[in-house]
């Protein structure tokens, strides 16, 4: 049995046990029965977004109640040392919380769907690695991984946990000072907002130990392209499927929307489970506005094995 990591945090972020999946409401069950009729007896691809990880204590980008935010772009990150200092200072705070997040029942349900042979594959827009923690194997981390960093100079990759120790040595007492300053926002990519600009200005950024180059989290920033091999592998999962199930994604960015468009163009069913409007609603064969965890849990229990 997986031992739960203790939650120690400034805001309680990702420090509590995952929220248990509730029973779907009667109106939701009616739509789930329709989804069951579409997916039963078929293998389908699963595309997940930030809405799946909210029950693990990780905030959503665009869901109902999500705080408005303007993520740093790749061009901003590489364009100025000041921007990189601000980013790494905020990421150092966010990492201290996000690394404690555990899979929730929705992640466990996705793993069960795969283990029972119902999925052609799982495409996730999340960088939190919770699908893998829950036991999913055939996963495309479309936007990369928050637990790795990459050197933009020599392309060496390092563990984010290792970098955390380096940043602690370079910035002793920073997290305690951030606690006093107050964290006002967290995001799914381990970003955090701190009110104290002087605190950020004094942060020391680590460099690549091999070449002295610039280190960057190993995930796709706004303004970056998803690596071609991940896109091709994701398309192959959709091509091999009879339908596409989108769970917890607003499909706002093209990196995810393209797969819904691809499935629809092939005449395949597109099922969307998400609270709030998505950019792919006009493509949906069925749209269910409900909690992702409870919906996937129900489907994993009710869909017949192949």
């Amino acid at each position: 049995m997986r031992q739960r990591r203790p939650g120690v945090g400034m805001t309680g972020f990702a420090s509590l046990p995952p929220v248990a999946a509730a029973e779907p409401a009667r109106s939701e069950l009616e739509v789930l029965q329709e989804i069951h009729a579409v997916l039963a007896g078929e293998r389908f691809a699963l595309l997940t977004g930030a809405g799946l990880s909210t029950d693990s204590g990780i905030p959503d980008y665009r869901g109902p109640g999500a705080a408005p935010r303007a993520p740093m772009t790749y061009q901003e990150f590489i364009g100025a040392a000041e921007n990189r200092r601000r980013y790494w200072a905020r990421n150092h705070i966010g990492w201290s919380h996000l690394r404690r997040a555990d899979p929730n029942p929705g992640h466990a349900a996705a793993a069960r769907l795969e283990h029972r042979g119902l999925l052609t594959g799982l495409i996730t827009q999340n960088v939190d690695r919770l699908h893998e923690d829950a036991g999913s194997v055939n996963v495309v981390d479309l936007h990369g991984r928050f637990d790795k960093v990459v050197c933009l100079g020599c392309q060496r990759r390092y563990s984010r946990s290792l970098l955390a120790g380096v940043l602690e040595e370079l910035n002793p007492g920073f997290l305690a000072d951030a606690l006093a300053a107050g964290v006002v926002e967290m995001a799914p990519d381990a970003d955090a907002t701190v009110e104290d600009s002087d605190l950020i200005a004094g942060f020391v950024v680590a460099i690549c130990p091999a070449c002295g180059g610039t280190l960057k989290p190993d995930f796709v920033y706004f303004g970056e392209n998803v690596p071609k091999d991940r896109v091709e592998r994701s398309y192959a999962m959709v091509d091999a499927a009879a339908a596409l199930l989108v769970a917890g994604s607003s499909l706002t960015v093209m990196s995810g929307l393209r797969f819904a468009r691809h499935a629809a163009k092939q005449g395949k069913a597109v099922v969307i489970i998400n609270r709030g409007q998505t950019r792919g609603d006009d493509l949906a064969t069925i749209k269910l506005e409900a909690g992702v965890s409870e919906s996937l849990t129900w489907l994993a229990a009710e869909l017949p094995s192949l």
Side-chain angles (χ1 to χ4, degrees):
M1 181 176 180
R2 188 167 182 266
Q3 186 175 1
R4 180 162 305 286
R5 292 161 286 186
V8 179
M10 295 174 254
T11 62
F13 171 75
S15 63
L16 297 176
V19 176
E23 288 292 326
R26 178 173 296 181
S27 59
E28 295 169 351
L29 279 173
E30 292 176 358
V31 182
L32 281 170
Q33 293 286 0
E34 296 178 21
I35 294 173
H36 183 281
V38 170
L39 299 181
E42 305 284 359
R43 297 181 75 219
F44 56 93
L46 176 60
L47 170 64
T48 67
L52 179 59
S53 292
T54 54
D55 285 349
S56 292
I58 301 175
D60 199 349
Y61 274 117
R62 303 176 182 87
R69 60 188 304 271
M72 185 176 292
T73 67
Y74 178 73
Q75 291 73 20
E76 289 171 331
F77 182 84
I78 64 173
E82 179 182 353
N83 290 341
R84 292 191 291 275
R85 179 181 299 108
R86 184 173 81 252
Y87 183 85
W88 277 115
R90 291 158 55 125
N91 181 275
H92 188 45
I93 298 166
W95 162 260
S96 71
H97 297 277
L98 187 58
R99 67 184 177 86
R100 296 187 174 92
D102 284 302
N104 64 55
H107 297 105
R112 286 198 300 275
L113 288 169
E114 179 185 6
H115 296 165
R116 294 177 57 219
L118 301 181
L119 300 184
T120 59
L122 196 162
I123 309 160
T124 184
Q125 296 175 289
N126 301 334
V127 299
D128 52 38
R129 301 288 290 172
L130 292 180
H131 279 299
E132 288 86 348
D133 282 355
S136 292
V137 177
N138 189 18
V139 182
V140 174
D141 293 301
L142 195 63
H143 292 161
R145 300 169 49 162
F146 88 115
D147 61 340
K148 298 289 183 182
V149 295
V150 61
C151 174
L152 297 180
C154 66
Q155 299 302 309
R156 286 181 172 86
R157 282 172 167 76
Y158 302 97
S159 161
R160 182 62 182 82
S161 295
L162 177 65
L163 180 62
V166 174
L167 291 175
E168 284 287 346
E169 292 182 4
L170 294 174
N171 301 276
F174 176 81
L175 290 177
D177 292 340
L179 170 59
V183 175
V184 297
E185 176 194 347
M186 288 288 183
D189 57 2
D191 193 11
T193 298
V194 182
E195 294 178 328
D196 191 337
S197 58
D198 292 335
L199 180 66
I200 299 296
F203 191 82
V204 180
V205 177
I207 60 175
C208 174
C211 74
T214 297
L215 295 176
K216 170 189 167 294
D218 195 15
F219 50 71
V220 178
Y221 275 52
F222 288 86
E224 274 191 290
N225 293 322
V226 177
K228 185 178 179 180
D229 62 320
R230 296 180 201 166
V231 176
E232 291 177 347
R233 187 178 163 206
S234 299
Y235 274 131
M237 290 176 173
V238 177
D239 288 341
L244 173 66
L245 172 59
V246 178
S249 174
S250 64
L251 298 176
T252 300
V253 294
M254 184 56 67
S255 63
L257 179 63
R258 62 179 136 194
F259 301 116
R261 288 180 172 175
H262 186 69
K265 187 176 180 179
Q266 293 181 332
K268 297 176 179 179
V270 176
V271 177
I272 298 177
I273 303 174
N274 189 69
R275 291 197 186 278
Q277 186 176 3
T278 83
R279 196 176 168 193
D281 284 355
D282 61 329
L283 303 171
T285 308
I286 302 175
K287 165 74 181 296
L288 170 61
E289 295 216 16
V292 179
S293 288
E294 50 260 45
S295 299
L296 288 182
T297 298
W298 187 91
L299 288 171
E302 297 297 328
L303 284 172
S305 298
L306 296 180

